[in-house]
Amino acid sequence: MEYVIGLDIGTTSTKTVLYDEAGKVRGYSNDLYNLYQDTPDMAEEDPEEIFSAIISGLSKVIEKADLKPGELKGVSYSCAMHSLICLDENHKPLTRAITWADNRAVNYADELKNNGIGMELYKKTGVPVHPMTPLTKIMWIRNERPEIYKKTRYFVGIKEYVNYKFFGTLKEDYSIANATALFNIFNMDWDDQAMSVAGVTRDQLPELVDTTYQFQGMNERYANMIGIDKDIPFVIGASDGPLANLGVDAIKPGVVAVTIGTSGAVRIVSDKPRIDPKARVFCYYLAKDMWVIGGPVNNGGIVFRWIRDQICLPEKVTAEEMHVDAYDLLTNIASSVPAGSDGLIFLPFLGGERAPIWDADARGTFFGLTRQHTRANMIRAALEGIVYNLYTVMLALSEVVGEPTKIQATGGFARSELWRQMLADVFEQDVNIPESVEGTALGAAVLGMYSFKMIDSLYDVEKFVGVTNTHKPNPENYKAYRELIPIYIRLSRALKPEYKNIATFQRQSENEQDDEQK
């Protein structure tokens, strides 16, 4: 038997999943780390905490599996996009890892949008202008952290930093590079204009390689800590969004992957790069002749967490006393409310928003609130708001690549029957839930199998992906959603002029509070 590890470096944890050659899970670890949000709009991680989590996950899975020599073919990466770490000339971090959720570069993103350069860059990079991108983060550092900018020898992401520690070389795969907004998707190289705008030179960026590239010759110290031979190959892999499509077998024409984890996304695969004239969706590389077109949303499961911790604290305490999962309890409460939440609509923009509005200043809103509404309505409205927003991404995506023929859904939300049904009702299509809820890790493993020549094609993933549930639209429910979704869309557009004003007020208030505390 041969085995491959899918290593998924996420926003709040790293998942290490051991698969056998038939795609069955034979080992699993989920190792958490902190997300630092010390100041307004900050969202950072400690690179060393992530590195330790990776070592821990690999070592636990390897030890428990007790594999025979030669059975482990290798490890293959998935990684969250848009992270940025500034390294000095000795490859030591000058910053923490600035994540996709960090919005401190918002003014520089706005500047690029307003002067037209942003659209020029989008047409070459496939990445909508937003403070999530390393391009705008570097602009922010250059202007507001000049002492760090001057000392920076290399600009890298978290996966590049990890692999440098493991293998002593700085390389970046096309997929992660694509998401930086510094990479030209038509000539497959760093883009001269984007580098000039950011203020970086080619020698400050890693060497570019394909997603099937293999590292070998791991630092013996780390190989011994993990418990593997130093010559076990590591496939550089790709970014988490495209690999989630691969991991749920959503790589054929017309098949859409909908993912809701901490954040969320809607994505479909094309055989060539595609650009949206309205710049609402991204275009990211997966593998040769496979480009993932789609839109990410900031506000997925993180909104449900906010509901649990801030709106439904009594229910959270009750769940703890009953020794049940608080999310399960809240989902049951939401199930008691009819579709449409009795006319209560929630715009779920608690952390700004990416697709389709690409506005870091967007803010959340309950609309239609009356004395008759209860916390149960608010819970359901929040869950519906997340799905409404994903549906608006699907509308934009349909204009670029056509109507979907099949929906594959994955992510933490897939464990909830209510949420799965809600997705089918809002999208008015059958929703299939693949057997593996860790679709991203499976995607990484399959890409690794392809690199190791264990399979002939990435399309072989269909042998590994079963379907455990198919949810069909409920006519009574989608009748309500047909009325409410247009209101939701108009609201999100009508409020746009005020997002900037309220966000500016909030930042000023937070800064004043910080000054008082100091």
Side-chain angles (χ1 to χ4, degrees):
M1 184 69 76
E2 295 179 327
Y3 298 85
V4 173
I5 289 176
L7 186 67
D8 179 17
I9 306 172
T11 305
T12 54
S13 71
T14 287
K15 298 180 178 70
T16 308
V17 189
L18 178 69
Y19 295 93
D20 65 22
E21 59 196 20
K24 298 296 183 183
V25 175
R26 301 300 183 185
Y28 179 85
S29 180
N30 186 21
D31 296 83
L32 307 176
Y33 30 80
N34 295 313
L35 183 66
Y36 295 94
Q37 298 177 292
D38 307 334
T39 61
D41 290 327
M42 174 194 281
E44 296 182 344
E45 296 164 337
D46 185 331
E48 300 307 326
E49 288 183 11
I50 296 176
F51 187 72
S52 295
I54 291 169
I55 294 282
S56 173
L58 286 169
S59 60
K60 284 185 290 188
V61 167
I62 292 292
E63 182 180 11
K64 192 171 182 179
D66 192 25
L67 303 179
K68 297 182 180 67
E71 286 190 326
L72 181 63
K73 292 291 289 185
V75 178
S76 183
Y77 288 101
S78 164
C79 189
M81 293 176 267
H82 313 301
S83 64
L84 177 70
I85 306 171
C86 295
L87 302 181
D88 67 15
E89 60 185 7
N90 297 312
H91 299 86
K92 301 298 182 185
L94 296 167
T95 63
R96 290 189 291 211
I98 306 173
T99 72
W100 61 266
D102 193 291
N103 280 327
R104 286 174 292 179
V106 60
N107 290 336
Y108 302 97
D110 288 346
E111 178 185 324
L112 292 177
K113 287 181 182 178
N114 294 335
N115 64 20
I117 294 175
M119 180 57 79
E120 290 178 21
L121 294 177
Y122 169 74
K123 290 177 179 179
K124 295 192 292 182
T125 67
V127 186
V129 175
H130 190 271
M132 70 180 182
T133 62
L135 182 150
T136 55
K137 290 182 173 82
I138 294 171
M139 293 175 67
W140 174 76
I141 289 170
R142 187 182 74 203
N143 287 280
E144 301 190 28
R145 300 291 188 273
E147 69 287 355
I148 292 175
Y149 177 78
K150 289 175 183 176
K151 294 178 183 177
T152 300
R153 177 64 182 84
Y154 303 102
F155 295 96
V156 304
I158 185 59
K159 184 167 64 171
E160 294 71 60
Y161 177 67
V162 167
N163 281 326
Y164 182 82
K165 294 194 71 166
F166 277 159
F167 301 101
T169 182
L170 276 181
K171 297 189 189 301
E172 188 160 340
D173 67 85
Y174 292 144
S175 186
I176 287 289
N178 192 167
T180 64
L182 296 165
F183 177 85
N184 189 306
I185 59 177
F186 297 102
N187 64 22
M188 302 298 286
D189 196 4
W190 298 117
D191 185 78
D192 290 334
Q193 182 186 11
M195 287 190 290
S196 175
V197 169
V200 300
T201 56
R202 186 176 297 272
D203 66 352
Q204 289 180 293
L205 300 172
E207 178 188 349
L208 292 167
V209 296
D210 208 344
T211 52
T212 53
Y213 177 86
Q214 296 181 18
F215 293 99
Q216 277 187 291
M218 178 180 279
N219 181 299
E220 283 200 50
R221 176 190 171 203
Y222 298 128
N224 291 335
M225 290 171 68
I226 295 168
I228 60 173
D229 187 285
K230 67 180 181 62
D231 291 323
I232 289 288
F234 277 55
V235 175
I236 195 167
S239 53
D240 54 359
L243 284 173
N245 269 60
L246 176 59
V248 297
D249 190 22
I251 55 175
K252 295 176 182 174
V255 181
V256 172
V258 178
T259 304
I260 309 178
T262 303
S263 56
V266 183
R267 301 174 301 270
I268 192 168
V269 170
S270 168
D271 62 354
K272 61 183 178 181
R274 292 178 185 265
I275 297 299
D276 174 18
K278 300 178 183 177
R280 293 165 297 177
V281 298
F282 61 64
C283 177
Y284 292 151
Y285 182 84
L286 171 58
K288 187 175 185 298
D289 299 326
M290 285 189 182
W291 295 84
V292 177
I293 321 297
V297 301
N298 286 358
N299 301 286
I302 199 167
V303 173
F304 202 8
R305 184 188 305 170
W306 174 78
I307 288 287
R308 180 197 67 182
D309 295 343
Q310 304 300 332
I311 304 295
C312 295
L313 191 56
E315 288 81 0
K316 182 181 178 182
V317 172
T318 298
E320 291 172 353
E321 292 173 348
M322 295 171 61
H323 302 290
V324 299
D325 186 276
Y327 292 120
D328 290 341
L329 178 60
L330 295 180
T331 300
N332 287 336
I333 292 171
S335 299
S336 67
V337 175
S341 304
D342 296 315
L344 183 61
I345 294 175
F346 182 62
L347 303 181
F349 308 140
L350 300 186
E353 193 47 281
R354 289 182 288 173
I357 61 175
W358 297 98
D359 190 341
D361 291 326
R363 293 296 184 262
T365 307
F366 277 108
F367 179 79
L369 198 61
T370 70
R371 291 192 302 272
Q372 284 70 42
H373 288 122
T374 65
R375 278 207 293 265
N377 291 109
M378 298 176 79
I379 298 167
R380 181 166 188 126
L383 300 182
E384 289 176 334
I386 296 167
V387 180
Y388 291 167
N389 198 45
L390 289 167
Y391 179 71
T392 64
V393 177
M394 185 68 252
L395 292 178
L397 200 55
S398 298
E399 291 182 28
V400 179
V401 294
E403 294 291 331
T405 59
K406 184 179 181 182
I407 295 177
Q408 301 281 86
T410 187
F413 96 106
R415 298 182 180 92
S416 165
E417 184 174 352
L418 173 66
W419 228 343
R420 295 193 301 257
Q421 186 60 49
M422 198 178 286
L423 194 64
D425 294 338
V426 170
F427 280 64
E428 292 191 37
Q429 281 196 293
D430 291 1
V431 171
N432 304 296
I433 312 296
E435 186 176 352
S436 172
V437 294
E438 299 298 348
T440 307
L442 178 59
V446 169
L447 187 61
M449 291 178 187
Y450 179 63
S451 179
F452 302 139
K453 302 191 185 309
M454 296 169 65
I455 56 176
D456 297 326
S457 165
L458 293 181
Y459 293 108
D460 286 350
V461 69
E462 66 183 358
K463 297 184 296 188
F464 308 141
V465 179
V467 175
T468 55
N469 289 287
T470 297
H471 288 260
K472 295 185 175 295
N474 181 323
E476 291 185 11
N477 292 345
Y478 67 64
K479 182 180 178 182
Y481 293 138
R482 282 180 181 177
E483 291 188 51
L484 294 173
I485 289 172
I487 300 173
Y488 171 91
I489 293 172
R490 291 194 296 270
L491 268 176
S492 65
R493 307 305 184 262
L495 290 173
K496 183 174 176 57
E498 301 303 332
Y499 287 151
K500 183 77 173 178
N501 295 328
I502 197 64
T504 299
F505 176 83
Q506 290 170 345
R507 291 187 182 107
Q508 290 171 346
S509 298
E510 289 171 339
N511 286 326
E512 288 171 3
Q513 291 173 11
D514 288 343
D515 292 341
E516 289 176 5
Q517 290 173 0
K518 292 175 183 177

